[in-house]
Amino acid sequence: MHSLNFEEIVDQYYPMLYRFALSLARNEADACDLTQQTFSIWATKGHLLRDGSKVKSWLFTTLYREFISNRRREMRWPKEELSEVEHELPCTPPETVDCLESGQVMEMLRSIDETFRAPLVLFYLQEHSYEEISQILEIPIGTVMSRLSRGKQKLQQAVLARQARDEAGSKIIPMRDPKGDKAHG
């Protein structure tokens, strides 16, 4: 086992790891995140390293793997400026989404045709990439993107329809007869 404690390891290797992360990520914020993540992993798994002389290589390998993992995630779900994709956002008010339970969303999802439901489930719930969905469903990537787009529209329509039904149901006011007796339905 290694004789260095966590603080000593951070003090000794942080500058080297940060420079390596900066060379990979090419920006300071991502380099800081990568370096922190590496030390976070060390804090939870470092005790498993049997040979203390391999701390440095373990840290560099871990940082590189985190970098690759982050790149894959970014390719799957690229970061985009909100102003550039604002037109793709649903018109559903936040209050509507806040009051929906996961069971209600799943119910609405099940109401969508299988053609659109399968890509939605694979992408949003199973976290598959477009390419993986294309292979699973044996359809071209363009078709996957089209079905995801149309599926999202159909799901949004289902959410809005449910909201309209819920609002209509809450606005029913019982009518009273002119004598002030009970309501007539």
Side-chain angles (χ1 to χ4, degrees), residues 157-177:
Q157 290 168 354
V159 168
L160 293 173
R162 178 170 186 116
Q163 178 188 17
R165 280 194 313 270
D166 291 349
E167 286 177 2
S170 67
K171 292 181 182 176
I172 296 175
I173 301 170
M175 297 183 62
R176 298 193 176 272
D177 70 12

Side-chain angles (χ1 to χ4, degrees), residues 13-40:
Y13 296 110
Y14 188 92
M16 289 182 275
L17 281 173
Y18 175 76
R19 283 192 300 274
F20 181 54
L22 188 58
S23 74
L24 294 172
R26 298 186 186 147
N27 75 62
E28 292 180 10
D30 289 345
C32 285
D33 289 346
L34 274 171
T35 307
Q36 274 189 326
Q37 183 62 24
T38 300
F39 283 115
S40 173

